[in-house]
Amino acid sequence: MKKKAAPILVVILLIILVAAAGVLSFVIKRFTPSNEKMDGSQYFGLEQDTDVALVVNGEVLEDVGKFIDGNIYIQDAVVSQYINQRFYWDANNKVMLYTLPEEVITLTPDSTEYLVGGETLREDVPMIRSEGDVFYVSLEFLKKYSDMSCQEYKEPARVVISTEAGTVQMVDASADYEIRQKGGIKSPILTEGKKGDALYFLEAMENWTKVSTGDGYTGYIRNEDISGVREVESAVETHGLEYTNIRKDYKINLTWHMMMNREGNQELTSKIEGCTGLNTISPTWYTFADDKGKLQSLASPAYVKQAHEAGIEVWGLIENINTEVSTLDLLSVTENRTKIIQQLMKSAKWTGMDGINVDFENITEDCAPHYVQFIRELSVACRKAQLVLSVDNPVPQPYNEFYNRKEQGIMADYVIIMGYDEHYSGSEEAGSVASLPFVKDGIEQTLKEVPKEKVINAIPFYTRLWTQPYGSSNITSEAMGMDTAAAYVSEHQMETYWDGEAGQNVAELQGDDALYQIWLEDDQSIEEKMKLIQSYDLAGVASWQLGYQNNSVWAVIGKYLQ
């Protein structure tokens, strides 16, 4: 029996040893870091010898740059989206425009010559290259006119760019290290480094930290291989291109003066009587006679003289209300924009007015690049003439992001939020013209793009009487000024209650055939809006429109502009 048992024990022992070896092999395999290295060209998405990877603010872009005649060029659409949005393609004249604080640069594709304010300058290589309908901007030209840091690397070819000024978060390598594609030891190695290297901190995980290297790799490093997070100033270089602005040393209290004809200029004295604290007025003087840029003007030097005598500045308003004129056709042609600006400058000099207010509404997405370029070019002229430039904007919504308030905030002196039309003539339901949450959201969204010292919030001096017949979904409305609405409520003995959420008194009447509702604008509602303007320390307030107000409201406005 003992002789038979011995082979069985040997077999069992061998099985145990094999199993142990298998377990050991599995453990070693599982917990041994991978030595696999990802190919750099694969990581950066390089497919051709002429490709140059673009790493902007730690992000490897899907689009690549190109070597053209040994120089690096980047597609203009990529430049606009990630690096510098100020390049504008003039399709009619086949040139690229770039707006400086007091001049516009004109770049002709594939030419080493370019114009700055009419003066011809030259570079060693073309600033713009063309390949069919695609245009590329020279990296050297970008460096010259863009606020950014830029480093070029080889093998693989890549350009690492940062445009984010201010402070950045860094960590230091406490040991020699590996950066892996993902947070795990089996993930491929992107690059390696030495103890003491500084890395950009992006995100902390349980055992790994997401970082970027100075030469463009973004991946994960073991937490044990880095020190704590520290803040340093970014390496973004500025080029002294200061888009200077006029800043009043007082809070703006502006109202718009709507006029239909020249006779309206003669009503100024009576219109502003009782408007205590008003320091700026914007008459609706200019609109377009055709889509070539010819203006229809109601401007008046006498009006400006009267306003100045009352201690009020005049910002002449230009609008696009002529429905027979296509704003797209108008603004997409450089000669048209130039013609408009020249007429405005001539009129400003003739009248002695203090500024220009741009009120272009219903801008479409395809028109937006041309509209923003018009604001840039107009800002150059206003800067030279020392005219205040203000731009009116609808309350920010996802569907109007293309208004580009950020760029407006750089170019213009003031960005005005038209904080009303929450419910309007075509609304399918009755409601406030400007409830408190609506106004608050408009301010907060605008402040994400424009500094508070440039933001003016406009409030309504009007409301709407809503009529909804019983049993019908058809709702109609009629705009009313403050006094007219108050008189209607009194005459019809409407029941009124305070809506704390909306920040308004609401009047209702259940008539014989319909429900009537008014979200009133009065001293109380205006005070709630002024509290918001004060709490966000905005540059001031605007109001639509002069003549719709109850004059008691001016004391309320003034109280919050001290």
Side-chain angles (χ1 to χ4, degrees):
M1 289 293 295
K2 289 182 180 179
K3 290 182 179 179
K4 290 182 178 180
I8 295 174
L9 290 173
V10 170
V11 170
I12 292 172
L13 182 60
L14 287 172
I15 291 172
I16 292 172
L17 289 173
V18 170
V23 170
L24 181 62
S25 174
F26 172 79
V27 170
I28 292 173
K29 184 176 181 180
R30 180 175 181 182
F31 293 99
T32 300
S34 167
N35 289 322
E36 177 190 358
K37 291 188 177 182
M38 177 175 280
D39 178 73
S41 294
Q42 177 187 352
Y43 172 74
F44 288 111
L46 303 181
E47 298 178 354
Q48 303 178 28
D49 292 340
T50 56
D51 288 349
V52 182
L54 303 174
V55 184
V56 182
N57 298 323
E59 177 185 356
V60 180
L61 305 187
E62 291 186 11
D63 298 283
V64 297
K66 288 187 176 295
F67 282 111
I68 302 178
D69 295 334
N71 298 288
I72 297 175
Y73 289 82
I74 304 174
Q75 190 175 337
D76 67 323
V78 176
V79 170
S80 294
Q81 183 175 357
Y82 295 100
I83 304 171
N84 188 331
Q85 61 179 295
R86 214 150 284 150
F87 289 89
Y88 170 83
W89 176 245
D90 178 349
N92 292 285
N93 296 306
K94 307 298 182 187
V95 293
M96 189 77 75
L97 304 180
Y98 186 84
T99 308
L100 298 175
E102 294 192 359
E103 303 289 352
V104 177
I105 299 177
T106 302
L107 303 159
T108 301
D110 307 311
S111 172
T112 58
E113 295 185 348
Y114 61 105
L115 297 175
V116 181
E119 180 183 357
T120 300
L121 301 178
R122 292 176 178 80
E123 296 285 349
D124 294 335
V125 299
M127 281 63 69
I128 305 292
R129 297 297 297 261
S130 61
E131 291 189 358
D133 294 331
V134 179
F135 299 93
Y136 294 84
V137 181
S138 158
L139 179 61
E140 291 305 312
F141 188 81
L142 273 178
K143 290 179 185 178
K144 189 172 182 179
Y145 289 105
S146 304
D147 290 344
M148 67 182 199
S149 63
C150 178
Q151 295 292 329
E152 300 173 32
Y153 297 91
K154 298 179 180 179
E155 298 180 359
R158 59 198 187 277
V159 178
V160 180
I161 294 171
S162 175
T163 63
E164 296 176 346
T167 59
V168 293
Q169 293 185 311
M170 307 287 293
V171 293
D172 297 308
S174 55
D176 293 351
Y177 62 91
E178 298 163 341
I179 303 290
R180 295 184 179 270
Q181 184 184 18
K182 297 181 180 179
I185 59 175
K186 295 303 181 183
S187 182
I189 298 169
L190 298 179
T191 187
E192 299 171 320
K194 298 293 184 181
K195 177 180 179 180
D197 287 351
L199 305 167
Y200 294 94
F201 169 83
L202 300 178
E203 181 184 1
M205 300 171 61
E206 183 177 356
N207 299 309
W208 296 81
T209 293
K210 187 177 182 180
V211 296
S212 285
T213 64
D215 60 353
Y217 289 91
T218 296
Y220 294 84
I221 187 173
R222 296 186 306 174
N223 289 346
E224 61 198 70
D225 290 338
I226 57 174
S227 63
V229 179
R230 60 188 175 88
E231 289 193 347
V232 299
E233 288 295 320
S234 72
V236 172
E237 301 174 6
T238 59
H239 297 279
L241 299 178
E242 184 181 0
Y243 293 82
T244 57
N245 298 118
I246 296 173
R247 188 82 67 252
K248 301 298 181 180
D249 58 1
Y250 52 83
K251 297 290 187 181
I252 301 296
N253 186 355
L254 176 150
T255 194
W256 284 291
H257 182 187
M258 183 176 179
M259 56 181 69
M260 306 302 295
N261 48 50
R262 292 188 181 277
E263 286 67 34
N265 289 307
Q266 300 170 15
E267 300 174 358
L268 177 63
T269 301
S270 61
K271 284 277 191 179
I272 62 175
E273 185 177 355
C275 299
T276 57
L278 183 68
N279 55 39
T280 311
I281 194 165
S282 183
T284 59
W285 273 348
Y286 308 100
T287 190
F288 298 104
D290 57 34
D291 59 8
K292 303 300 182 183
K294 182 181 179 181
L295 293 183
Q296 289 179 337
S297 173
L298 302 175
S300 164
Y303 182 100
V304 175
K305 184 175 184 294
Q306 289 181 40
H308 286 174
E309 288 172 350
I312 298 173
E313 284 202 352
V314 178
W315 298 356
L317 181 146
I318 179 171
E319 56 192 354
N320 62 336
I321 61 169
N322 188 344
T323 56
E324 296 182 359
V325 174
S326 164
T327 305
L328 174 60
D329 292 343
L330 180 73
L331 297 182
S332 60
V333 177
T334 296
E335 287 75 13
N336 294 348
R337 298 192 306 272
T338 301
K339 183 177 180 180
I340 296 166
I341 294 168
Q342 289 174 342
Q343 291 171 90
L344 287 173
M345 293 302 106
K346 183 177 180 180
S347 184
K349 187 174 182 179
W350 174 60
T351 61
M353 66 183 183
D354 310 279
I356 294 171
N357 177 239
V358 179
D359 186 35
F360 287 7
E361 301 189 26
N362 300 314
I363 295 295
T364 57
E365 189 165 5
D366 57 346
C367 181
H370 313 297
Y371 168 69
V372 174
Q373 182 62 19
F374 171 68
I375 298 299
R376 292 189 187 108
E377 293 169 1
L378 180 57
S379 80
V380 171
C382 287
R383 204 170 282 115
K384 289 181 176 180
Q386 284 297 291
L387 292 169
V388 177
L389 174 60
S390 60
V391 187
D392 305 336
N393 288 267
V395 168
Q397 302 289 350
Y399 57 78
N400 61 32
E401 290 179 352
F402 49 77
Y403 269 73
N404 200 342
R405 293 164 182 83
K406 182 177 180 180
E407 185 74 346
Q408 288 185 37
I410 294 171
M411 296 294 167
D413 300 297
Y414 293 102
V415 174
I416 301 178
I417 311 165
M418 296 183 289
Y420 37 77
D421 280 346
E422 178 181 5
H423 294 86
Y424 49 94
S425 60
S427 291
E428 296 180 355
E429 62 179 13
S432 171
V433 168
S435 70
L436 214 55
F438 177 78
V439 175
K440 183 174 186 288
D441 185 64
I443 292 172
E444 290 180 346
Q445 295 304 317
T446 300
L447 290 176
K448 291 179 180 179
E449 299 183 276
V450 185
K452 65 180 183 179
E453 59 270 16
K454 287 192 169 193
V455 176
I456 296 172
N457 187 73
I459 58 177
F461 282 162
Y462 70 96
T463 184
R464 288 189 174 275
L465 167 64
W466 299 91
T467 303
Q468 182 172 8
Y470 297 131
S472 172
S473 60
N474 182 32
I475 300 176
T476 59
S477 69
E478 175 188 351
M480 292 180 166
M482 288 181 172
D483 286 340
T484 304
Y488 188 94
V489 170
S490 176
E491 179 184 349
H492 293 84
Q493 298 181 346
M494 297 179 75
E495 183 179 340
T496 305
Y497 65 91
W498 175 255
D499 183 337
E501 182 179 354
Q504 290 176 286
N505 286 301
V506 182
E508 292 185 350
L509 172 65
Q510 294 184 1
D512 294 335
D513 302 315
L515 172 65
Y516 301 88
Q517 295 174 294
I518 305 176
W519 277 258
L520 290 162
E521 291 297 348
D522 51 25
D523 288 5
Q524 281 184 278
S525 69
I526 296 301
E527 181 158 28
E528 294 304 307
K529 294 175 179 61
M530 290 306 302
K531 286 178 182 176
L532 274 180
I533 290 171
Q534 184 186 63
S535 68
Y536 286 99
D537 193 23
L538 302 186
V541 66
S543 51
W544 179 265
Q545 61 163 305
L546 183 63
Y548 277 11
Q549 81 284 356
N550 179 329
N551 272 347
S552 63
V553 80
W554 294 110
V556 176
I557 292 174
K559 177 181 174 182
Y560 293 92
L561 292 181
Q562 302 301 320

